Amino acid sequence: MGGVLARVSIVVPTIGRPSLDALLDALAAAPGDRPAELVLVDDRPTGEPLRPDRPGLPPVRVVRTGGGGPARARNLGWRVARTEWIAFLDDDVVPDADWYQTLATDLADLPPEVAGSQGRVRVPLPEDRRPTDWERGTAGLATSAWITADLAYRRSALAAVGGFDERFPRAFREDSDLALRVMDTGARLVRGERWITHPVRPTDRWVSVRVQAGNADDVLMRRLHGPDWRAPHRADAPLGRRPRHLAVTAAAVGALGLALARRPRAAAVAALAWGAGTAEFARARIVPGPRDRAEVTTMLATSAVIPPLATWHFLRGVVQHRRVTPWKGLPDLVLFDRDGTLVRDYPYNGDPALVKPVPGAREAVDALRARGVRVGVVSNQSGVARGLITREQVDACMARLEELLGPFDTVQWCPHGPDDGCACRKPAPGMVKTACAELDVDPARCVVIGDIAADVEAAAAAGAVGIMVPTPVTRKSEVAAAPHVAGTLTGAVDDVLAGAW
């Protein structure tokens, strides 16, 4: 099974919780072959660098998001990995000792139409007492569908749908959304036989209040996937108590309104309905629990707060997500024209000393790299065909470009003239197609940024997306015909990072 694991990267998003040590210790101590690498995605805004080194771990790479949330952290993790499979683990789980071996068995010989394999989750509960409300809620992970506490996806499946939707700001529903989008492509998800343990992490008494923010995410799910998204054959997510929370909240609002309208009897009836609904909710949470003083007081306090708060977050989601569009995500590759786009245009330049980046070029390219987007160059160099510069001079200028802007994942340049009839010179699609093939990228997930019509036409001919950044010498007719125009290179990259491509 070693051959299978060589095609797997483990991605662990983390905010540096102490539970990360338990996960790393388990991965280091487990027997068997190791995956290709372990990518730790540090999602803290600041902090000392993580030091995950332990004998026995796979090769470890640490990358940082600067605090973008779990969806962005997972996206960065899979984008920087280059293996066929991406195995996601949460930083608060503990894999079984045979996890590597069983993962290899789960992934071996899966047919191409299977895009992902979910592991199995156990949540240990106290044996000497009844579980608390928080413990029972966590135990629901054991039967949840398509959660990324332990889920391995084909990297190609993630790329095809743009990865996790970063509009889900918390670790809730973003994994169900991804699973639905993957399955909507016709792919299948299956359950494997590997196991992890998900301990109930300690928390404070108000955690059940904070998690009500997830009601807004449920609205986003409905907007994106329709009213049947909860169905067993889809996300398999029960509705829960939201209708009753709406009714209890309506009763409270009605009681207040009637009291202000000086209708005391009607107000009393509405208040009685509110009290009965709140009491029923509290009882439903208290009875299955340990019923000790701390739990009972917590349930009484939070049961009064949760219905209106859940309703507020639901209504907030209705407003916030009223015009939501399908998630596109980031492209897998951004290709830049060189002269006039990344650097100032000196016609037929063969002198590395004249390679001068345009304002913001380094920052723009680095911003893409920081999000895991690969970058490349596609450049017409007809000066070679005209006898004005040599191939060696072109290579020297490209080398200088990388010194100034950092390494590129692919560099393509065409030495032919406009009358040579080659397939590579823009607006022909050859260089764009070659770059995509070299990096195993679907052209539909590629963006080409350039300053003239030939750049965006080459993109369109290859099946990619073109963005024009005009310069003073760009023809007005070309700007008018371009499908997407940005005022600056930085603006073009900002559009890409915002999903507007």
Side-chain angles (χ1 to χ4, degrees):
M1 294 299 177
V4 175
L5 291 181
R7 296 183 279 121
V8 178
S9 296
I10 303 173
V11 169
V12 178
T14 182
I15 53 175
R17 293 185 289 197
S19 58
L20 176 64
D21 287 328
L23 167 64
L24 296 178
D25 288 343
L27 292 175
D33 296 323
R34 288 335 191 218
E37 67 175 337
L38 168 61
V39 181
L40 286 181
V41 187
D42 186 349
D43 196 38
R44 300 173 298 170
T46 59
E48 292 296 320
L50 295 174
R51 302 189 181 280
D53 294 335
R54 287 166 172 76
L57 284 177
V60 178
R61 180 168 21 160
V62 179
V63 295
R64 301 193 72 157
T65 65
R72 179 173 294 184
R74 293 191 183 102
N75 280 341
L76 179 58
W78 73 260
R79 286 187 180 282
V80 302
R82 295 291 177 257
T83 51
E84 177 186 356
W85 287 96
I86 310 295
F88 294 101
L89 287 174
D90 283 352
D91 71 348
D92 56 353
V93 305
V94 180
D96 280 9
D98 65 349
W99 189 82
Y100 288 133
Q101 298 164 334
T102 314
L103 173 66
T105 302
D106 285 344
L107 300 184
D109 302 322
L110 284 178
E113 69 270 15
V114 173
S117 166
Q118 180 178 332
R120 298 178 184 269
V121 182
R122 71 172 69 86
V123 180
L125 296 176
E127 297 181 358
D128 58 341
R129 60 168 173 79
R130 295 179 178 182
T132 65
D133 179 70
W134 172 243
E135 290 166 342
R136 295 194 305 275
T138 304
L141 295 173
T143 55
S144 296
W146 319 130
I147 58 172
T148 46
D150 179 1
L151 206 159
Y153 274 106
R154 291 189 193 271
R155 191 184 188 283
S156 58
L158 296 169
V161 299
F164 293 85
D165 189 335
E166 296 176 17
R167 294 170 297 186
F168 290 90
R170 69 203 106 249
F172 185 72
R173 302 301 190 209
E174 86 291 355
D175 41 16
S176 297
D177 165 75
L178 173 64
L180 290 181
R181 286 186 287 117
V182 169
M183 290 190 289
D184 284 346
T185 68
R188 290 194 297 121
L189 302 179
V190 299
R191 294 184 183 270
E193 298 300 324
R194 63 194 183 279
W195 282 89
I196 58 169
T197 297
H198 194 302
V200 179
R201 70 175 185 269
T203 188
D204 61 79
R205 68 187 301 183
W206 300 106
V207 63
S208 60
V209 173
R210 292 194 300 275
V211 300
Q212 299 309 313
N215 283 279
D217 299 339
D218 282 351
V219 177
L220 179 55
M221 287 290 292
R222 183 183 176 91
R223 291 276 194 265
L224 292 170
H225 300 289
D228 69 336
W229 72 269
R230 294 179 178 275
H233 67 285
R234 304 197 70 198
D236 193 17
L239 177 60
R241 298 183 65 96
R242 185 183 302 135
R244 279 182 272 190
H245 288 337
L246 288 169
V248 169
T249 302
V253 172
L256 180 60
L258 291 167
L260 293 174
R262 297 183 179 180
R263 299 176 59 187
R265 291 185 178 180
V269 172
L272 182 63
W274 169 81
T278 301
E280 183 276 329
F281 181 38
R283 182 180 185 279
R285 301 171 72 205
I286 291 170
V287 169
R291 305 182 200 175
D292 56 30
R293 182 175 180 178
E295 179 74 357
V296 170
T297 56
T298 297
M299 294 301 99
L300 290 174
T302 56
S303 294
V305 175
I306 286 174
L309 193 60
T311 301
W312 159 252
H313 284 298
F314 172 76
L315 295 176
R316 177 175 62 84
V318 170
V319 174
Q320 179 181 356
H321 302 306
R322 63 190 183 280
R323 292 191 181 93
V324 71
T325 56
W327 175 251
K328 193 172 187 179
L330 299 180
D332 294 333
L333 174 64
V334 174
L335 298 172
F336 295 92
D337 171 56
R338 192 188 79 176
D339 303 315
T341 301
L342 287 177
V343 301
R344 299 187 186 281
D345 187 10
Y346 294 96
Y348 310 118
N349 177 40
D351 184 356
L354 294 180
V355 176
K356 306 290 185 182
V358 302
R362 179 67 192 240
E363 292 78 8
V365 178
D366 280 347
L368 292 166
R369 294 185 182 116
R371 296 287 295 278
V373 179
R374 286 181 277 187
V375 292
V377 177
V378 285
S379 179
N380 288 348
Q381 294 295 324
S382 65
V384 175
R386 301 173 194 269
L388 301 173
I389 55 175
T390 66
R391 290 175 178 268
E392 291 74 19
Q393 286 176 307
V394 174
D395 289 337
C397 289
M398 291 297 187
R400 178 57 178 163
L401 180 70
E402 294 200 283
E403 288 178 13
L404 296 170
L405 300 185
F408 290 92
D409 296 281
T410 181
V411 174
Q412 308 290 330
W413 60 272
C414 169
H416 304 110
D419 299 325
D420 289 344
C422 70
C424 49
R425 178 180 168 82
K426 295 176 291 184
M431 286 190 288
V432 177
K433 288 185 174 181
T434 299
C436 289
E438 180 181 296
L439 299 177
D440 193 24
V441 169
D442 182 347
R445 304 294 306 179
C446 173
V447 172
V448 180
I449 299 177
D451 64 322
I452 61 174
D455 299 312
V456 295
E457 289 171 5
V465 174
I467 299 179
M468 180 181 287
V469 181
T471 69
V473 300
T474 309
R475 295 190 180 104
K476 292 182 179 180
S477 59
E478 294 182 353
V479 178
H484 187 155
V485 177
T488 64
L489 178 62
T490 301
V493 169
D494 286 345
D495 286 350
V496 170
L497 293 178
W501 56 279

